[in-house]
Amino acid sequence: QGGGEAKPKRVRKKKKPKFVEGGGSSVYVCGLPEGEEAAALSAEVAESFKVAGVLKTDPASGQPRVKIYCAPGGTSKGDALVTFLKAESVPLAVTLRDGFEMRDGAALKVQPARFEMRGEALQQQARSKDDAQIARKKQRRLEQKALAE
């Protein structure tokens, strides 16, 4: 039992946050009034979605996390992303607010948010998988050579 050999300490690598597909606790809303100032519309959207659950707040501003997608001029495009504190609020928001008329008689279309990896991030992920596969093959070859000797 008392061999006296010290085991080397394990070095824990910091794990990168993994990209998770799916919306988590967010809903995508379209059918909002277009051409309006984003800040005013954001407050109105937050107020109408509070019935489904508690909205996440932005730590920097303290405002509810409602992202209004804007045109280059800074006015709304008519869609938004609303983030709730808990994922259980998403189906409730879809049930309560899909088809809801905010104003002007236009009905909102509410659906669970879907996030997809695109562009450079997707290519980089594919490259890192290939690099890892090559490294594993090299390691196997080295191990086989060592066993053969």
Side-chain angles (χ1 to χ4, degrees):
Q1 234 186 13
E5 282 185 38
K7 289 184 180 178
K9 282 189 174 180
R10 278 188 175 176
V11 178
R12 291 188 184 190
K13 293 180 184 177
K14 287 186 179 179
K15 292 183 181 179
K16 288 185 200 175
K18 290 184 180 179
F19 179 81
V20 179
E21 289 191 27
S25 61
S26 300
V27 291
Y28 178 75
V29 183
C30 53
L32 294 168
E34 293 181 30
E36 292 200 20
E37 185 186 331
L41 188 58
S42 176
E44 192 175 343
V45 169
E47 194 59 41
S48 69
F49 277 85
K50 282 182 182 176
V51 296
V54 179
L55 298 177
K56 266 190 184 177
T57 54
D58 182 30
S61 66
Q63 298 295 319
R65 276 179 99 176
V66 176
K67 177 180 177 159
I68 304 290
Y69 293 99
C70 295
T75 58
S76 79
K77 284 183 169 181
D79 50 356
L81 184 73
V82 180
T83 306
F84 292 97
L85 195 60
K86 295 189 175 191
E88 292 83 28
S89 301
V90 172
L92 188 60
V94 171
T95 304
L96 293 175
R97 290 296 179 235
D98 191 32
F100 177 73
E101 290 185 19
M102 216 162 120
R103 56 178 131 115
D104 300 334
L108 297 180
K109 178 156 176 36
V110 181
Q111 59 194 25
R114 270 185 321 137
F115 297 113
E116 298 171 347
M117 193 178 287
R118 296 188 212 168
E120 183 61 32
L122 184 61
Q123 292 169 355
Q124 190 174 11
Q125 184 186 31
R127 279 194 300 262
S128 67
K129 279 184 180 178
D130 291 342
D131 292 345
Q133 207 171 24
I134 291 168
R136 282 194 300 272
K137 282 182 182 178
K138 283 183 181 179
Q139 185 64 33
R140 274 192 223 123
R141 279 192 218 124
L142 289 172
E143 289 171 359
Q144 287 174 350
K145 275 186 180 179
L147 289 173
E149 292 174 354

